[in-house]
Amino acid sequence: MIMQIFSSQRDKVLDAVILFSWVILPPIFLLIFHGGFFVSSMLYLVLPSIYFSIKKPDIILKALIVALVAMPPMIIFDYLAFLNKAWAVPTIFSFRLFQFIPFEDFFFTFWAVYVVIVASHYFFPNLKLGTKNKIVVAKSGTILFLLFAVFILLYLFKPGIFIVPYYYLLLVLTAFIIPTLILFTRFKLYRKPLFWITAYSICLMLPYEITANMLGFWTFPSAQYIGRINLLGQSFPIEEFLAWMIFFPSATLAFTKWVADRVNYE
């Protein structure tokens, strides 16, 4: 019993160190060594993913599947963002999907979804994904496949339909805020975890955003934003703050819940 208590306390200390280091060390490393977007994804997403996967191995397969299922809507959202100049991302690779999307975006989004799932379910084990230990991709996969098929047809035959005024604001409302509100209002079990997850996300992603702006990981060429935040000499849209610093983790958990087979709703 004493050994178990000691081990538990040691794990909590290590977790605290990891969380603190996750906020502090990557910006310092990137600014000193001028790391790029791809390197930043390794530091911010892949390394923590490995750590939390080791701590929570039973969630690995489910998190991988959900992250893969998230790729089709990510392609659509990203394509429209580039087309409407909501953001622009340089790439170190020689190819882009659908004229615009760099490999770095796929890499970032996949691991961002994955790490949110494994870390959230490690720190809040009551947020169980399912009782059958499997993911049902039949319904969700079919819906996303049909959505992607419609996107392909429109991309080939009527691409002008994708020009959307204030696209970033529309994206934030539909893909981030609405799923979060549904999760928060329908499932009380998520309310307290969402508060802590969001608070930490701001602490983590705000320094990342400032560092990314300093190093030119991405830019915001559109004039159609609801406003801009100016901080430490850097400027980025309010939509960017809402999407990636506040609502992304909760929207990811809402998407995970939609994909998952059976979830405890208590």
Side-chain angles (χ1 to χ4, degrees):
M1 178 65 71
I2 294 177
M3 291 300 296
Q4 289 179 341
I5 295 174
F6 177 77
S7 177
S8 177
Q9 291 176 339
R10 183 179 60 188
D11 287 346
K12 290 180 180 179
V13 171
L14 181 58
D15 292 340
V17 170
I18 292 294
L19 291 177
F20 181 78
S21 300
W22 198 5
V23 173
I24 300 298
L25 295 182
I28 295 174
F29 179 92
L30 292 169
L31 290 172
I32 291 175
F33 296 100
H34 298 279
F37 185 17
F38 187 77
V39 173
S40 75
S41 298
M42 296 288 292
L43 295 174
Y44 271 98
L45 305 174
V46 178
L47 293 180
S49 292
I50 294 172
Y51 174 78
F52 290 115
S53 295
I54 294 172
K55 304 284 282 189
K56 188 73 173 175
D58 59 303
I59 204 72
I60 293 175
L61 180 59
K62 296 177 181 180
L64 286 173
I65 293 175
V66 173
L68 286 172
V69 172
M71 289 299 99
M74 175 266 166
I75 293 174
I76 299 173
F77 297 153
D78 217 17
Y79 172 79
L80 268 67
F82 280 100
L83 183 66
N84 289 280
K85 299 183 179 180
W87 59 68
V89 180
T91 180
I92 61 174
F93 299 95
S94 60
F95 60 91
R96 290 176 182 262
L97 186 67
F98 294 105
Q99 300 176 281
F100 296 123
I101 308 174
F103 174 77
E104 289 92 335
D105 279 21
F106 290 99
F107 191 80
F108 177 90
T109 305
F110 177 89
W111 288 107
V113 171
Y114 181 88
V115 76
V116 165
I117 297 171
V118 293
S120 297
H121 287 81
Y122 168 66
F123 285 107
F124 303 99
N126 288 334
L127 306 182
K128 297 178 180 178
L129 280 183
T131 57
K132 291 184 177 180
N133 195 34
K134 66 179 181 179
I135 297 290
V136 170
V137 294
K139 287 186 177 180
S140 55
T142 300
I143 292 172
L144 293 177
F145 174 79
L146 292 175
L147 178 65
F148 191 70
V150 171
F151 164 73
I152 294 295
L153 290 174
L154 292 175
Y155 171 78
L156 293 173
F157 300 108
K158 201 172 182 181
I161 199 172
F162 293 131
I163 303 297
V164 181
Y166 287 90
Y167 168 74
Y168 207 169
L169 176 60
L170 180 64
L171 176 66
V172 170
L173 289 173
T174 56
F176 293 88
I177 294 180
I178 291 176
T180 295
L181 291 177
I182 293 173
L183 188 67
F184 186 83
T185 55
R186 289 191 60 189
F187 307 113
K188 295 181 180 179
L189 184 66
Y190 278 76
R191 293 179 183 177
K192 186 176 180 180
L194 285 182
F195 171 80
W196 292 109
I197 292 168
T198 302
Y200 183 76
S201 176
I202 295 172
C203 295
L204 178 71
M205 297 306 292
L206 186 55
Y208 183 29
E209 183 70 37
I210 294 171
T211 303
N213 275 259
M214 289 179 175
L215 296 175
F217 294 175
W218 47 72
T219 58
F220 305 99
S222 176
Q224 296 183 334
Y225 306 114
I226 57 175
R228 298 184 75 96
I229 295 173
N230 297 289
L231 190 62
L232 298 179
Q234 305 303 312
S235 177
F236 51 90
I238 292 175
E239 291 90 336
E240 179 83 353
F241 179 77
L242 294 174
W244 302 104
M245 285 161 248
I246 294 183
F247 290 106
F248 178 77
S250 51
T252 297
L253 293 176
F255 180 78
T256 303
K257 196 171 186 65
W258 178 67
V259 174
D261 176 16
R262 291 168 58 188
V263 184
N264 292 332
Y265 293 159
E266 300 88 82

